[in-house]
Amino acid sequence: MQPICTFTIVPSLPTRLERLRDLAYNLWWCWNLEAIDLFRRLDRELWEESGHNPVLMLGSIKQERLEDAAEDEGFLAHLERVYQHFDRYVNSQNTWYEKTYGPFTEPYIAYFSAEYGLTECLPIYSGGLAVLAGDHLKSASDLGLPLVGVGLIYQEGYFRQYLNADGWQRELYPKNDFYNMPVQLEQAEDGTPVTVQVDYPGRKVTAQVWRAQVGRVPLFLLDTNIPANSRQDQDITDELYGGDLEMRIQQEIMLGIGGLRALEALGIRPTVCHMNEGHSAFLALERIRILMEEHGLSFAEARQAASAGNVFTTHTPVPAGIDRFPPELMDKYFPAYYPSLGLSREEFLALGRQNPADHREPFCMASLALHLAAYANGVSRLHGQVSRRMWQGIWPGTPEDEVPITSVTNGIHIPSWISFDMATLYDRYLGPRWLVHQADQAIWKRVEDIPDEELWRTHERRRERLVAVARRLLRKQLEKQGASPSEMERASEVLDPATLTIGFARRFATYKRAALILRDADRLARILNDEDHPVQIIFAGKAHPQDNPGKKLIQQIVHLSRQEEFRRRIVFIEDYDMALARYLVQGADVWLNTPLRPREASGTSGMKAAANGVINVSTLDGWWDEAYQPDTGWAIGRGELYEDVNYQNDIEARAIYGILEKEIVPLFYDRDSNGLPHKWIARMKAAMRTICPVFNTNRMIREYAERFYLPASQRYWHLAEDGMARAKALAQWKSHLCQHWPEIRVENVEAEVPAKLKVGAELQVRARVVLGALEPRDVTVQLYYGPLDTKGEFLKGEAMAMNWVESNGDGSHVFAGSIPARTSGRYGYALRILPHHEDLSNPFEPGLILWAC
């Protein structure tokens, strides 16, 4: 039965409480502990029952309670205090960005992501990529960046996890009620929802736009679940990462093309578009199409300006994790788009291929983003190296370390992840500036001023809270499984609030090796059940619904936890979400991470743990590869790689047991007469002091702004000024370059190489080069030199530009340069020619390089 009319009911708040509505609809509350405490104070039980959702809570609370609160002077004073803080925050003109770069009138950075993890009551996230995106927006707000977010709002979001009686993961897909969540429909001046239309095969699909306000930053979320669409098209924004390849391409068209059109409909024209992973890469094509239409440009001309303002962040270290669409699927969804860009089918498909000549290669979203973004990065130093190796084929002939993909290591939004107790300690001993200046190492040195007893008692309270929550959740999941009363009673006996607690919580992909610590069950049992020095482990995490190997890992852990020797020491808590994550990273003593190197792009859960004084134990992968120091945590192995994965698993499992037996357990239980483990506390402080000022999104966002956003915006406007004059000129130059590049040849390279070159000397080199129709100013002639390995190949090369000396009448040009002999050893040099133009983002942008044979 369909209604003949729809209407929206909103909470009826007493006048004196009206400001609660403003607070509820701005997600600033989710990282402001005093604001959370304000809502909890209204009705503690309802706060928990609502899933920490202030909008739902205000719509469900009894009117009498609201009337009582409106007369409660203590509550009103609390509300006034929180609201004044909120008002100062959102209206401040004293942010880092404005103090550094001046005021702005409208946002110019658009951040696109398929998922956002902002708070558990807005379940449109699945894992680390989303939480990173959410923290990105929060820190952009804190720093005052002129940024907006763009994404999709999913009717069912990601699944809710439950385990059956045999420990096998099952999935539930409850419907999200957007009208009872901290989001609001964007409305036009006439009060109707803002909508956009996107072309799909044989029809147009309409999406309405919701806004989630994240402090100062608006996040716009597209929703196709409206009556204007067919039932099939309403499902496009149904599930996150659900469905088949066709559903995935439909979602990514809506995210990239629809998202850019939504900004246009809202009057926002970004100069910088940041693609968080390749899901949104179709936006790069839409930017080009719009410029072509508005300025009468060719594809090549519009591409120069559009690409100058594009930033791409890849999070995937393996080819299998990248979206790839077969050519026939592209033909189904983009036949009208090819001519709108002035491209043939093969020219279009080549934009999504590493090898444009391979007509069988699928269309890859990461390849598209890399072809059409002036700036690209991985999310840790190691991942940057992996990405350069993985995508080297896009720049043929370019040495791996010069592939134009850099890295910006991920961070966390510290205020979102630390406990109230820890925040209180930071306020007391670090001073209030730590919240605003999270990257200031001088502030974090004050961690040493926290008395050992205060830090330890604070941490003990968090461990006690974690154990209490784990017991409650375990009883709840056993109850749903139909467990017997005796089993329920035994759930109250699991874990011990005074025992060394290991936390392991993340996506249950097989490469993360959740069961590595279980590899030798007998040895593990001896460690966990030591009479004087016991250990316990709390597991949590979800496997993708189609990932049966990941589900088997969960089942293995559950089965083991039911054995008598592990029953009180190992638990698996189902339905991992951001709320459970906070309890874990705040209350564990040790954070365990065991990815198979180099499969972890970055990882951030260990950063959250460290901010709460939890010590990391991890393989040297992702962020830990650059963060690890002997006094801040433990490394599993030294980054070795073995061809036999089973052998590697054996080696690293034994390493975990050895670290536990010889280092972690003795250090944790080494107490003074007051029960304080001073050496353990020293390691907690060292981790907090060194990790927190570096691995936070405050530092990360400033890095993105200074290295990418600002240069990208300046370069965009530089190419766009005077009616796109420079973009047109650059496109024309590139066309001329590509046409005549085959004419270049190196006629000879001359150098007087002595038998032994002494350190401090220089080797003089001259080269005669034929450039054909090109001029010396169109190229850079470089000497590429460095030490050689035993095979006579470069270990690591260094490039040095040669100087133009003269042009000869026969069309050749002479270049000269010198190679410094800095250290002894066996060295070699080569000569190469690269394009040169002042408006190129980098010399490898055209994908042309000529090495002298």
Side-chain angles (χ1 to χ4, degrees):
M1 178 70 70
Q2 295 290 318
I4 61 172
C5 175
T6 63
F7 52 92
T8 302
I9 299 175
V10 298
S12 177
L13 297 177
T15 302
R16 300 175 80 180
L17 302 184
E18 194 57 45
R19 289 180 294 185
L20 282 172
R21 194 189 316 274
D22 295 338
L23 293 172
Y25 277 102
N26 192 310
L27 290 169
W28 170 86
W29 62 260
C30 77
W31 72 89
N32 185 279
L33 297 171
E34 194 173 17
I36 293 172
D37 197 43
L38 176 71
F39 288 114
R40 186 185 285 120
R41 181 172 179 170
L42 263 181
D43 190 321
R44 185 174 295 271
E45 288 187 13
L46 188 56
W47 174 252
E48 296 299 329
E49 290 172 9
S50 70
H52 305 162
N53 180 350
V55 174
L56 178 59
M57 179 181 174
L58 291 178
S60 308
I61 196 168
K62 292 180 180 179
Q63 197 65 32
E64 308 90 80
R65 175 66 192 112
L66 290 175
E67 298 295 343
D68 288 345
E71 300 300 322
D72 183 338
E73 291 185 5
F75 183 83
L76 292 175
H78 192 171
L79 171 59
E80 178 68 19
R81 187 166 63 250
V82 170
Y83 194 84
Q84 284 185 3
H85 184 188
F86 168 71
D87 187 62
R88 285 195 302 271
Y89 177 89
V90 295
N91 293 308
S92 173
Q93 296 180 335
N94 195 36
T95 65
W96 169 80
Y97 183 89
E98 292 192 74
K99 285 192 294 185
T100 308
Y101 300 106
F104 57 90
T105 55
E106 60 184 33
Y108 71 85
I109 307 158
Y111 181 85
F112 286 71
S113 182
E115 49 174 329
Y116 290 90
L118 290 155
T119 173
E120 55 269 25
C121 72
L122 189 57
I124 56 172
Y125 63 90
S126 70
L129 175 74
V131 173
L132 184 278
D135 283 6
H136 194 110
L137 297 194
K138 292 173 183 177
S139 277
S141 171
D142 290 343
L143 294 171
L145 238 64
L147 180 144
V148 300
V150 181
L152 304 178
I153 191 164
Y154 302 95
Q155 194 68 56
E156 294 180 359
Y158 204 49
F159 68 93
R160 300 294 300 272
Q161 178 198 54
Y162 72 97
L163 304 182
N164 67 15
D166 192 38
W168 188 256
Q169 173 184 294
R170 303 299 300 270
E171 296 85 31
L172 292 172
Y173 293 89
K175 301 287 185 183
N176 286 326
D177 179 5
F178 303 146
Y179 292 93
N180 275 314
M181 291 181 174
V183 294
Q184 294 177 300
L185 273 175
E186 281 294 297
Q187 296 180 335
E189 291 183 0
D190 61 1
T192 59
V194 171
T195 61
V196 295
Q197 287 192 324
V198 180
D199 292 312
Y200 283 72
R203 77 240 188 237
K204 291 183 182 293
V205 177
T206 304
Q208 63 185 2
V209 183
W210 296 83
R211 174 199 289 247
Q213 191 66 36
V214 187
R216 302 179 179 96
V217 170
L219 167 59
F220 300 110
L221 301 164
L222 278 70
D223 171 23
T224 65
N225 189 15
I226 57 177
N229 294 325
S230 67
R231 181 64 263 173
Q232 178 184 0
D233 290 336
Q234 289 177 26
D235 290 343
I236 291 174
T237 56
D238 205 11
E239 291 179 26
L240 172 60
Y241 302 142
D244 55 13
L245 266 183
E246 186 149 13
M247 176 57 73
R248 183 63 65 89
I249 198 172
Q250 290 177 357
Q251 290 184 336
E252 296 186 359
I253 288 170
M254 184 56 66
L255 174 62
I257 297 175
L260 204 61
R261 291 181 185 180
L263 294 180
E264 193 78 17
L266 294 165
I268 300 170
R269 176 66 69 90
T271 56
V272 177
C273 288
H274 186 169
M275 298 169 274
N276 188 44
E277 197 47 271
H279 308 117
S280 61
F282 289 134
L283 74 83
L285 297 171
E286 180 69 0
R287 292 193 82 183
I288 293 171
R289 188 197 63 79
I290 291 171
L291 291 177
M292 291 175 66
E293 186 179 275
E294 291 183 347
H295 298 277
L297 304 176
S298 67
F299 175 85
E301 292 167 340
R303 177 179 181 174
Q304 306 313 314
S307 297
N310 288 339
V311 178
F312 170 54
T313 296
T314 173
H315 294 257
T316 308
V318 290
I322 302 290
D323 288 335
R324 287 178 165 85
F325 302 119
E328 55 270 22
L329 197 57
M330 298 300 295
D331 288 338
K332 179 177 179 179
Y333 282 88
F334 287 93
Y337 217 86
Y338 305 159
S340 72
L341 295 173
L343 298 177
S344 68
R345 173 184 181 273
E346 286 305 321
E347 287 172 329
F348 183 95
L349 294 179
L351 293 169
R353 291 171 171 160
Q354 282 209 56
N355 180 7
D358 183 358
H359 293 187
R360 296 170 300 174
E361 185 180 334
F363 189 93
C364 172
M365 296 298 283
S367 293
L368 175 65
L370 288 167
H371 278 123
L372 297 179
Y375 304 88
N377 70 282
V379 289
S380 70
R381 188 169 58 202
L382 178 60
H383 182 234
Q385 297 169 10
V386 171
S387 298
R388 286 188 287 275
R389 186 178 313 124
M390 185 172 165
W391 299 109
Q392 189 176 9
I394 291 180
W395 296 272
T398 302
E400 183 184 303
D401 61 350
E402 291 187 295
V403 168
I405 301 175
T406 182
S407 64
V408 176
T409 301
N410 283 345
I412 62 162
H413 184 250
I414 295 177
S416 292
W417 295 104
I418 59 171
S419 67
F420 179 83
D421 313 77
M422 189 61 71
T424 302
L425 279 185
Y426 285 168
D427 286 341
R428 186 179 305 147
Y429 293 101
L430 274 62
R433 291 179 67 250
W434 76 267
L435 262 175
V436 180
H437 301 280
Q438 293 169 32
D440 188 336
Q441 296 196 5
I443 290 175
W444 289 100
K445 287 181 180 178
R446 298 174 192 162
V447 164
E448 296 296 338
D449 296 336
I450 303 175
D452 283 5
E453 184 169 6
E454 277 195 69
L455 179 59
W456 187 244
R457 300 308 176 210
T458 294
H459 181 66
E460 285 191 312
R461 286 195 299 273
R462 298 312 309 173
R463 190 190 320 111
E464 290 166 4
R465 177 65 61 84
L466 170 60
V467 169
V469 167
R471 287 173 174 173
R472 173 172 57 81
L473 294 177
L474 184 60
R475 284 180 63 91
K476 187 177 178 181
Q477 68 190 52
L478 287 172
E479 184 179 359
K480 288 188 293 184
Q481 293 170 7
S484 66
S486 61
E487 288 176 304
M488 298 283 290
E489 185 62 31
R490 290 170 71 181
S492 301
E493 301 171 0
V494 302
L495 307 178
D496 181 338
T499 290
L500 170 61
T501 303
I502 299 172
F504 185 101
R506 53 193 35 85
R507 186 165 54 91
F508 263 66
T510 52
Y511 79 86
K512 292 178 183 283
R513 301 188 296 177
L516 189 63
I517 195 173
L518 314 179
R519 201 164 179 85
D520 185 340
D522 292 338
R523 187 172 178 183
L524 179 63
R526 291 194 296 273
I527 294 170
L528 300 190
N529 292 303
D530 184 281
E531 188 173 340
D532 297 319
H533 303 141
V535 180
Q536 58 198 13
I537 311 173
I538 302 177
F539 288 94
K542 297 178 178 180
H544 187 278
Q546 297 172 13
D547 182 8
N548 284 335
K551 292 182 180 182
K552 287 179 180 177
L553 284 175
I554 294 173
Q555 188 180 46
Q556 178 185 350
I557 293 168
V558 173
H559 283 185
L560 192 75
S561 72
R562 291 172 179 171
Q563 296 178 16
E564 185 58 32
E565 62 265 44
F566 296 111
R567 183 181 62 79
R568 297 183 64 239
R569 300 298 184 206
I570 296 178
V571 298
F572 184 95
I573 306 299
E574 68 183 16
D575 205 27
Y576 183 49
D577 66 358
M578 292 179 72
L580 178 56
R582 281 194 294 272
Y583 283 116
L584 284 163
V585 299
Q586 292 168 8
D589 298 296
V590 170
W591 196 253
L592 180 64
N593 189 33
T594 52
L596 185 64
R597 178 186 168 105
R599 301 284 298 277
E600 185 84 282
S602 175
T604 57
S605 61
M607 303 174 193
K608 303 176 181 86
N612 286 283
V614 180
I615 303 175
N616 279 270
V617 180
S618 176
T619 51
L620 291 174
D621 199 10
W623 77 283
W624 191 240
D625 182 64
E626 60 194 270
Y628 166 70
Q629 297 177 21
D631 64 336
T632 61
W634 288 274
I636 302 168
R638 292 295 177 265
E640 305 93 342
L641 295 176
Y642 302 92
E643 291 185 11
D644 186 335
V645 175
N646 280 326
Y647 178 70
Q648 177 140 7
N649 290 342
D650 285 338
I651 291 290
E652 293 181 346
R654 286 198 291 270
I656 294 172
Y657 301 138
I659 292 169
L660 282 169
E661 292 165 338
K662 298 175 183 177
E663 299 188 47
I664 293 176
V665 174
L667 194 69
F668 181 84
Y669 286 106
D670 179 14
R671 310 292 175 91
D672 69 5
S673 58
N674 295 315
L676 297 178
H678 290 287
K679 292 180 182 178
W680 184 274
I681 295 168
R683 194 171 286 251
M684 291 172 66
K685 289 182 177 181
M688 294 154 68
R689 185 183 66 246
T690 59
I691 291 172
C692 290
V694 178
F695 298 94
N696 63 76
T697 42
N698 185 305
R699 180 274 310 160
M700 185 189 82
I701 293 297
R702 289 173 61 167
E703 201 170 338
Y704 274 114
E706 292 166 346
R707 290 177 54 190
F708 299 154
Y709 296 158
L710 291 163
S713 180
Q714 291 164 2
R715 189 162 175 268
Y716 175 88
W717 285 118
H718 178 70
L719 293 176
E721 63 187 5
D722 296 329
M724 299 283 173
R726 285 186 174 271
K728 293 176 182 177
L730 181 58
Q732 186 177 11
W733 176 83
K734 277 188 176 181
S735 176
H736 178 72
L737 177 79
C738 292
Q739 181 182 352
H740 296 286
W741 189 261
E743 300 170 8
I744 300 177
R745 69 179 187 273
V746 179
E747 289 204 330
N748 64 45
V749 181
E750 299 175 347
E752 293 186 8
V753 183
K756 294 181 179 179
L757 187 67
K758 292 184 179 180
V759 171
E762 291 187 339
L763 179 65
Q764 304 297 326
V765 183
R766 290 172 68 88
R768 189 164 71 248
V769 176
V770 174
L771 298 176
L774 299 176
E775 299 291 334
R777 65 174 178 271
D778 295 325
V779 299
T780 298
V781 180
Q782 294 180 333
L783 289 168
Y784 185 84
Y785 64 96
L788 305 178
D789 62 17
T790 56
K791 297 178 181 179
E793 297 178 353
F794 287 109
L795 285 169
K796 184 175 178 62
E798 184 177 346
M800 179 173 291
M802 301 180 76
N803 297 315
W804 172 80
V805 176
E806 62 182 4
S807 296
N808 299 320
D810 59 1
S812 66
H813 307 269
V814 177
F815 294 83
S818 60
I819 298 172
R822 299 192 184 99
T823 58
S824 61
R826 187 179 180 222
Y827 282 75
Y829 74 87
L831 185 140
R832 70 185 187 184
I833 301 174
L834 289 165
H836 176 266
H837 192 284
E838 62 178 349
D839 288 335
L840 286 177
S841 60
N842 64 76
F844 304 103
E845 180 187 318
L848 300 172
I849 184 170
L850 178 68
W851 292 86
C853 297

